[in-house]
């Protein structure tokens, strides 16, 4: 058996080792050349389209792939913001598949990166951004794409078709991105980041071979305890299709109170509205149908039509911007079947401004309002209301309160009723007891009626108009001037008449806060009083004259003397109106001969029942609260 010496073996291996070293060196330099050449080609291709790629750090390797940290894609010319920024991106070369298919195949990876896209409209930041995709000639297979913005998380997969033409692959046209579709999707699906997440899953397809780009996606979304455009939702489910041509989505939302089934659609993405339709259901399972549109650029919601019996006040409280403007002292017993048209909410202004073309109450409503800590029921409310330019408009608004009826046609800006026609008929004054406290006589059969045409304001100088007032079947003690006549002449007029019933009628006109009374007519079993005068609501002062006539049994007894008892002067501030006799007239003087104390000097005029009967209906309708300083 022969052996080979060590020097002989070394001589034999020297040549292969040298060849191997040369080959390795060539391969190393070849790889470096290929990597360098790839870098140059990438930058030349980008430069041909007016773009440059920079990064905070980068690694290019034939076997390890490309790793970029804080990469920035910018336009070469002009001082413009970067078109694209990504915090981290890795690209691997799939050598096995590339060898098998005879073409370069790469795998693009990003894990919880931050991606910022920029176009002429501004920047869109996606955080997190996760990508796992394989790029081959003519196609990009996306196994996983995850986008996040605020509380919105999109987790999808799909494919992108690209050009296979060499001439198209060397496109030298300037790159001008347009992310309007993505921006519109994010705006449409805008959820509050401080509430729960809303996650969307699905599949997508993009075709870049033609211009404009064709794309579509089938999406499904769900979230709990989320907030969409300021509306808190206990549960939200959405599904549908989105494409370059617009969107078609169906949503099922559980509100804080009630629920909503909404169909959403949009044609195109450039300055087109998001159309909405569906049903709104309150907690009592009553539903309204609606048609609406939201214009994102103008931040304007328009409800073209809404109809049904659902409690809109309850549903409005789901939206804090509207809920904060609703009256807190109002409870709905029966919400009307309503037909509303053209409700417009402008969210671009602060605070938001809204208008309503019309809301017709097709079936009567019943509500309870709190007036001075006491409940007051208003029932059988019908009519039509609208709101334009900060003014409410009431058209043939009718209902029942305080046992009587009211009718209102007017415009109201929160301070003044203009172009008003007001009618209060047969209000039962006994219903005023919760506000009057203990009253001295029964008011069970007493009625108050008012008609008025003109302007009414809590600031009296702005009140101008005319009307009439009737109080019937009321105790004499609650009728102005009658009670005072009995008090002035206690020796002449019987107390039993004072304990009886009376009535009065007033015709008046208002001009800049001064009411002219002409005439006032009051009568009881024994006395008729007529009066004229003025009530200055600005200066808070009353001035007038009255004449008392005897009637009934007393009138027949004194007929040989005179029916005229006395003239009286009425004057004083509103809180201390005094009625003073000027003395008996004609034959009535004989009634007082030998009776020095037949008449008192003066008595105070009290009209608390009358005042409350007139003010409570307006307070119940939400008008004329405490006057603000300077109004």
């Amino acid at each position: 058996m022969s052996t080979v010496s060590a020097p002989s073996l070394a001589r034999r291996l020297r040549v292969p080792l040298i060849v191997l070293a040369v080959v390795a060196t060539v391969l190393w330099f070849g790889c470096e050349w290929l990597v360098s050449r790839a870098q140059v080609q990438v930058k030349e291709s980008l430069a041909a389209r007016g773009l440059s790629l920079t990064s905070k750090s980068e690694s290019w390797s034939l076997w390890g792939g490309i790793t970029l940290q804080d990469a920035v894609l910018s336009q070469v010319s002009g001082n413009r913001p970067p078109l694209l920024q990504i915090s981290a991106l890795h690209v691997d070369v799939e050598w096995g598949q590339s060898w098998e298919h005879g073409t370069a195949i790469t795998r693009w990876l990003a894990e919880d990166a931050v991606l910022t896209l920029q176009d002429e409209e501004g920047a869109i930041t996606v955080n997190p951004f996760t990508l796992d995709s394989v790029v081959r000639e003519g196609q990009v297979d996306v196994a996983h794409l995850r986008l996040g913005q605020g509380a919105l998380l999109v987790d999808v997969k799909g494919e992108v078709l690209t050009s296979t033409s060499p001439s198209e692959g060397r496109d030298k046209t300037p790159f001008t991105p347009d992310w309007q579709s993505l921006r519109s999707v994010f705006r449409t699906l805008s959820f509050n980041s401080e509430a729960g997440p809303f996650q969307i899953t699905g599949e997508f397809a993009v075709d870049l071979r033609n211009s404009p780009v064709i794309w579509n996606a089938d999406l499904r979304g769900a979230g709990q305890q989320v907030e969409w455009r300021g509306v808190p939702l206990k549960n939200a489910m959405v599904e549908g299709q989105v494409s370059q041509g617009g969107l078609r989505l169906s949503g099922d939302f559980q509100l804080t109170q009630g629920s909503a089934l909404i169909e959403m659609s949009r044609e195109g993405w450039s300055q087109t509205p998001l159309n909405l339709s569906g049903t709104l259901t309150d907690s009592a399972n009553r539903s309204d149908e609606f048609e609406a549109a939201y214009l994102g650029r103008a931040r304007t919601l328009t409800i073209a039509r809404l109809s049904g019996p659902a409690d809109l006040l309850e549903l409005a409280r789901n939206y804090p911007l509207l809920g904060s403007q609703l009256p807190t002292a109002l409870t709905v017993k029966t919400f009307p079947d309503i037909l509303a048209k053209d409700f417009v909410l402008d969210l671009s202004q602060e605070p938001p401004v809204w208008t309503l073309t019309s809301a017709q109450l097709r079936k009567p409503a019943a509500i309870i309002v709190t007036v001075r800590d006491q409940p007051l029921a208003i029932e059988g409310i019908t009519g039509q209301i609208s709101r334009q330019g900060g003014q409410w408009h009431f058209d043939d608004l009718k209902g029942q309160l305080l046992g009587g009826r009211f009718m209102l046609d007017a415009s109201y800006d929160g301070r003044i009723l203009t172009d008003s026609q007001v009618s209060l008929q047969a209000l039962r004054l006994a219903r005023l007891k919760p506000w009057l406290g203990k009253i001295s006589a029964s008011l069970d059969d007493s009625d108050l009626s008012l008609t008025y045409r003109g302007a009414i304001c809590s600031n009296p100088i702005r009140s101008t108009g005319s009307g009439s007032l009737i109080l019937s079947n009321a105790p004499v003690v609650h009728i102005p001037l009658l009670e005072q006549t009995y008090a002035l002449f206690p020796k002449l007029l019987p107390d039993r008449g004072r304990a009886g019933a009376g009535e009065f009628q007033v015709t008046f006109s208002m001009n800049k806060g001064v009411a002219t009374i002409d005439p006032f007519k009051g009568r009881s079993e024994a006395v008729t009083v007529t009066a004229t005068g003025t009530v200055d609501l600005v200066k808070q002062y009353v001035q007038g004259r009255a004449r008392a006539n005897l009637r009934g049994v007393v009138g027949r007894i004194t007929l040989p003397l005179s029916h005229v008892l006395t003239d009286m002067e009425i004057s004083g501030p509103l809180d201390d109106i005094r009625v003073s006799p000027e003395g008996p007239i004609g034959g009535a003087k004989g009634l007082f001969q030998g009776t020095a104390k037949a008449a008192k000097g003066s008595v105070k005029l009290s009209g608390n029942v009358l005042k409350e009967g007139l003010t409570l209906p307006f307070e119940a309708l939400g008008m004329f609260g405490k006057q603000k300083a300077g109004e």
Side-chain angles (χ1 to χ4, degrees), residues 190-209:
S190 176
F191 289 85
N192 187 352
S193 59
E194 297 181 0
F198 186 82
Q199 185 162 2
I200 294 176
T201 59
E203 300 80 36
F204 71 91
V206 180
D207 189 346
L208 300 176
R209 296 173 299 179

Side-chain angles (χ1 to χ4, degrees), residues 498-516:
R498 188 174 184 178
E503 63 182 32
F504 76 75
Q505 297 181 4
V506 178
T507 300
F508 64 93
S509 61
M510 289 281 294
N511 185 27
K512 296 182 179 181
V514 178
T516 300

Side-chain angles (χ1 to χ4, degrees), residues 18-32:
I18 292 173
V19 172
L20 181 60
V22 170
V23 171
T25 301
V26 171
L27 288 175
W28 184 82
F29 279 107
C31 290
E32 288 296 312

